[in-house]
Each structure stands twice: as structure tokens, then as C-alpha cells.
Amino acid sequence: MLEAISIVKDYKGQKALNYVSFKVNLGEVFCLVGANGAGKSTLIKLFTGQLTPTTGSANIDGYSVAGDFNAVKHKVAYIPENLMLYGHLNAIENLDLFCSVSNLKYTTNELSLFLRQAGLNEVHYSKRLENYSKGMRQKVGIAYALAKKAEYLFLDEPTSGLDPKSIIEFSEIIKQLSKTGITILMTSHDLHRSINDADKIGIMKDGNLLEVIETDDYTHSELEEKYMNYMIN
Amino acid sequence: MFTTILKYELKYFLRNKIISVLFAVLIAITFYALYNGSTFYKKQTSVIEKLKVKDSTAFQTIIQNFKAGDTLTADAKWKYKNLQRASWAIFDNRFNVFWQPKPISVINIGNRDVYPYYQEIMPVSLYMRLFKNEISNPNSLLIGNIDFSYVILFLMPLFIISLLFNFISENKEKGIQSFLETNATSFSNYLYCRLAFYILIIVAILLLLFSMAYFLFFKDVSGILFLKIFIYSIFYSLFWIVICFGVNKLNKTSVFNISFLISLWLCFSILIPSVANQVAAYKYPINTEEISKNIRRVQLNGDNKEYSNVLKKFYSKYPQYYNNDTSETTLFSLAYLAQGQLSDLEGDSLLNGICEKMLLKQKFLKRISYLDPCMYLQNKYADLTETNLIDYVDYLKRLQRFNKELKLFYFKKAFTDDKMDLTYYQKMPKWK
């Protein structure tokens, strides 16, 4: 389970996060939405050990990330917003390299399988990543999460800059990952896709988590209205 | 993990077009640099060999003239007579002295193109000839050369910079750093493995360049000497690898890194050495013009009184040559010799002063070089290949000693008015 307990994060005297608390249960997809600077990416960074909270705690399976990240690191996969990977290597080679750095050893067939599961078309496996679109590169990142057998996946703005077809494909992948029991915490600007992809949506503004919404309880338009009300007021 | 990282870094190295082009350029320039150094060395040794043959032929002619004796033609007989009179022969006989290059100087031309490597001298009026030669032949002064040391000193750091300027920053810019910091077991281990790869690849490239040099141009050079130069070059390259790593560790952008590294390269390769040279030139001015200005051609106006005054001055300095029985016919030639020696005496102290300044300058630059690895390696190359200022000073000192031996050889006979014979000529000092 992921748990944010009264997290405060100060950046040079400014509050990036202001007593943020929420829980994400196993197998859930939790999407943080909000304007730029709302604190979404900061939360992701706190859960992936890139930042430490000023006060409060980001916990994974009961372990505080700030204090004991190594205990849960093997369960975690993180895909940053602009993941370019190594352009001079192809998908299999990138995957092999990153698996190796994580002390994971797979055969080429196994690596191909992960790429297939991540939704990457086989014809692209041997092409260098310098020719890949952002969506294709993200699939390689997801293949890595599958190879790592990650239980928690953190995605920072995964759909920004993707074309509509890639966004739809990405939604499918998220659903499939969720079905396999992976817990996903992601950030997004796309309210409409979020309601389709996530089980819960957290609306953020100026470092505050304003409300956590169960997506099943709302229609697209209701959610949009709620969101706009928060943003205007 | 290490072997996988090595495998993919090697792929990066081979697939990166810019790196491949730079590598090819580095190899091509190295080949040209070695060829250039080799041509320079061959040119100097060939000129020296020709001059040695010329000197040897001249000496053999003297011997043959002595052996032929009375059977000589009238003209040859006149020359033969001159050879027997030391006070005349001293002006007829010329000697070539050489700053002999070592085969290893192919690597580093150093000061060999700045200073004259051969000179034709006479036993008297040494300094007038010595520095007249230099002043009339300064065409290659400070032009600089593309030799093997140039490749290692200046191009190798640039190649290392082009390989490593974005060693860490690229990962940050491509999102790989945060990806790996969260996902991998140890991001720093990954970086150190990559760094190890680059150290290996740089050493391998140096090995390739040195092997190219050794097998194509230096089969006869001492392996130990070559190994020493190789090891110094490895340490110099390691310095640049560490600098690149350190700059990357500042966690700035790739653009910042490349600008900063190129600035450092300019600083170490050009700015510090040129400022140091300027300071050295100001602190220890070396002006050979001073000698040529002060040491003039011997001029006597044909007055016996003047000849006697010159000889009087000479004998007061060299009483061992005093001859009470100087005939009027030899008075002029002895006075001429004496005047030449008196001006050489002045030249001796001027040259000693210049040599001292050269050594002080070299000492000063050596001290500064501890702050600048580029200067340090440049000095080391010059030391090991014997192409530095100290070697040139050593050559000048040997030249001075040789000249003194020659003078003694002729003066002994000139001032006693003894004839020089074949046996005596065969004891003539030789340039070593």
C-alpha cells in the first residue's frame, strides 16, 4: 500500500506540499491532477526517493521512503516524464542494459516478451531509440517495470506529448498492468483520460490535495465541473 | 553488470558518428604527426651526415696534401704551405658542429626547430659566426609543429572532452538519471562502471597510437624510454578524465560542461603556458643580438704599433703564449689571432650569461609546470626526447669546449712559430 502521511515539502521557504495525506490500495490506479506547480511531480519524487519531505512521510508497504527506501526499492518502478533512454541502442539493448544495472538477467526472448506485454510492436525491437516516439520510449520503460516485476509503478505525466492513438494505447496498458495487481501512482493534465484510467483521482492545487474522488461515482462532465470549481476558486 | 555495461558503451562508442569521425581524425593526424616528426628527424640527420662527410673529406685532403708534399701543383703547394703555418691555417680550416637529434625526437621536435642544429665554426672569432648564423636563419622560430606530442598534449584532451563532456549530464537530460536512481540497485556503481570503460578505452587508444608510433617509426628506440613516455601520457589522459568527471559532478547542463571544459583546455594548453612564457621572457630576457652587436669582425688597420698593442693585451691575459721572437712577417697574423681571441673572450662571458639565463628560464618554467599538467608533460617529453632548452645549452657548452680545444691546438704552434706537420694534424680535436 502507498500512503502519504501529512507530507509537507518546503522549497526555499515556499510550500510545495502542504500536509498532503492519501492512501492507494494494492492494485489501484491513483491519478493526481492539477495545474502546473500544484505539487504532483513533487509527490511522485517523494515516493521514489528523489526528494525527502520536510515533515510527514511517504510510505510504501509501511516503509518510509525517506528512511528506508532500499527495503522497497526492488518493488518500485518509476518512469519520468521525459524518458529518452539511450538513443544509440535499440529497445532490446536498452532493456538488457537497465535490467543488468538492476542485477536482473534475462534472455533476448524474455526481454522481447516484456516489450510485447508493454505493447511495443515487434518490428521496432531492433530499431534504435533515437527513432522512437515518446510513447514508444515509454513502452520500453514499462517493459522494464515488467521485467523488474515491480509492484508499484510511478508515472510522471505519462500522456503529455502523446498523440491520441498513443494515449488510447497507453490507457490499455495501464488497465492491463492494474489487472496484474500493480499499484500505480501517476500524474496527469488530462482529466478525461484520468477518469477512464484511474480508480481514484486526487485534485491538487498550490501544494494542497483538495479532494480524492472515486472515479466510479462521477461522470466526465461532473468531474470536469468539480475540477473547474476548484481551479477557479 | 560490468561486462554488459562495457558491451553497450562500446556499442555507443562505435555507433556514435561524431565520435567515430573524431577518432578517425585523431588516427589520421597521429599518422601525419609521426610522418612529420620522422621527416624532420631524417632531414636533420641527413644534413649532419653530409656535413660529417664534408669535414672528413676536408681533413683527408689535408692528410693527402701532407703525404704528397713536393709533388703538389704550384697552387696546391701554396695551400700546403699555409697548412703548415698555424697562424694561417687557423683561418683556412672550418669545422662543423652538430646538435645531434636522438631517434626518439621524432615524437617531440621540441626546441629543435627553434635553435640551429649545426654550425660551421673557425677556431677564432667563434661568436661572430655562431650568432650570425642564428640571426640570419630564424625562419622557423616559434612556428610550432604538428608532432606526436602535439597529438597527445592538445588533441587527446579534446577527444576525451568530446567523449565525456556529457558523461552524467546526458543521463540527467534524458531522464535516465532519475529513472536509474529509483530503479537500479546503484546508480553510482553504474557510473563508475561506465567511467572504468572510458578509462579502458582511452588507455586502449593511447596504446594504439603508441603502437602505431613504435612499429612504424621507432623499431630501434629503447622500449623502456618509450614505455616511460607512454606512462606519462596515460597519467596526463587520466587527469583529463578526472577533470571531465569532476565537471560532470557539478550537475550542470551538457552545454555548461562543454563550455567549461573547453575553457579549462584553453587555460591549461594555451593561457597558462603563454603567460608563463611571457613572465619568463620578461624575467630572464635572452638576447643573442647583444653578442652579435658587441662581437664585431676583427679589424686591424695595418699599423705595426697597433699589432703590438693587441699582442701586448693578449699576452697579459695569456702569458703562456708569449713569444719574444715574433718576426715582422708573422706580426700581423698573430695580432689578428690575438684580436680574435680577445673578442671571443668577451663572447665567452656573454654566452655564459645567456646560458645561465636560459637555464634559469627553464627552471622557472619547470616550477610553473607543476600547476599545469599540459606544461608538465610538454617538459617531460622534451626531457625524455632531449629536445629541450637544457639540451641546447649543453650543446652550446660543448661547442665552447670544442672551440677552446681547437684554439689550443692551433695557438700552440702559431705563437711558437713551429710548423704543423702530418703527425700533429692527426691529433686534431674532433667534435663528438
Side-chain angles (χ1 to χ4, degrees), chain A residues 48 50 73 76-78 80 82-86 88-89 93 96-98 100-103 128 144 148, chain B residues 1 4-5 7-8 11-12 15 170-171 173-176 178-185 190 194:
Chain A
T48 52
Q50 297 175 63
K73 201 174 182 181
V76 171
Y78 162 68
N82 289 311
L83 181 62
M84 304 293 285
L85 299 171
Y86 289 119
H88 57 278
L89 300 178
E93 289 167 343
D96 187 24
L97 174 63
F98 293 124
S100 174
V101 174
S102 307
N103 286 335
R128 291 190 203 175
Y144 169 75
K148 198 181 172 185
Chain B
M1 177 168 88
T4 312
I5 292 170
K7 183 173 89 181
Y8 290 119
K11 281 193 178 183
Y12 171 74
R15 287 176 185 176
E170 181 196 29
N171 288 321
E173 284 152 12
K174 289 185 170 175
I176 295 168
S178 54
F179 180 71
L180 282 179
E181 270 172 351
T182 306
N183 298 323
T185 42
Y190 170 65
R194 287 186 67 210

Side-chain angles (χ1 to χ4, degrees), chain B residues 197-407:
Chain B
F197 166 81
Y198 283 107
I199 292 172
L200 286 178
I201 204 97
I202 297 297
V203 172
I205 290 171
L206 282 174
L207 194 63
L208 174 74
L209 300 183
F210 273 82
S211 305
M212 219 165 105
Y214 191 76
F215 292 111
L216 293 177
F217 295 94
F218 295 108
K219 281 173 192 154
D220 305 326
V221 170
S222 142
I224 300 288
L225 180 61
F226 213 75
L227 191 67
K228 268 188 192 170
I229 296 173
F230 178 60
I231 289 170
Y232 276 115
S233 307
I234 287 181
F235 279 112
Y236 177 66
S237 298
L238 282 178
F239 163 79
W240 279 104
I241 293 174
V242 170
I243 287 282
C244 287
F245 189 72
V247 170
N248 268 279
K249 272 285 189 188
L250 295 175
N251 261 330
K252 304 280 183 185
T253 62
S254 297
V255 175
F256 171 87
N257 289 353
I258 188 96
S259 315
F260 192 55
L261 285 166
I262 293 291
S263 307
L264 284 178
W265 178 81
L266 283 170
C267 199
F268 285 127
S269 310
I270 295 167
L271 194 66
I272 295 178
S274 55
V275 169
N277 269 314
Q278 282 292 314
V279 175
Y282 177 75
K283 270 183 92 161
Y284 309 106
I286 294 164
N287 189 5
T288 52
E289 223 178 283
E290 202 183 336
I291 293 186
S292 69
K293 230 186 316 181
N294 290 322
I295 310 299
R296 303 234 171 250
R297 184 179 287 279
V298 177
Q299 279 183 330
L300 296 172
N301 58 21
D303 177 346
N304 275 1
K305 200 178 164 194
E306 188 195 3
Y307 303 159
S308 302
N309 283 340
V310 168
L311 280 170
K312 203 173 158 190
K313 210 170 158 189
F314 175 79
Y315 290 141
S316 69
K317 287 193 185 296
Y318 303 98
Q320 70 271 33
Y321 296 121
Y322 182 73
N323 182 359
N324 199 17
D325 196 23
T326 310
S327 66
E328 273 206 21
T329 47
T330 55
L331 188 62
F332 169 73
S333 55
L334 289 184
Y336 200 89
L337 267 187
Q339 183 67 52
Q341 174 54 21
L342 287 172
S343 83
D344 274 0
L345 200 62
E346 206 180 324
D348 265 345
S349 66
L350 285 171
L351 182 70
N352 289 341
I354 282 177
C355 286
E356 202 177 317
K357 274 184 187 170
M358 280 177 167
L359 292 175
L360 284 171
K361 185 182 172 188
Q362 183 70 8
K363 212 172 161 186
F364 171 78
L365 290 174
K366 211 166 194 170
R367 271 208 306 271
I368 300 284
S369 80
Y370 290 114
L371 303 171
D372 181 351
C374 185
M375 266 179 86
Y376 183 80
L377 187 66
Q378 213 162 1
N379 276 329
K380 270 286 161 213
Y381 270 143
D383 283 350
L384 293 169
T385 56
E386 297 180 30
T387 56
N388 62 16
L389 208 54
I390 292 172
D391 290 292
Y392 181 64
V393 169
D394 176 59
Y395 158 73
L396 288 177
K397 293 277 179 194
R398 282 190 295 126
L399 196 158
Q400 236 177 355
R401 279 199 300 275
F402 176 63
N403 183 254
K404 277 182 187 143
E405 283 172 30
L406 280 177
K407 271 181 197 159

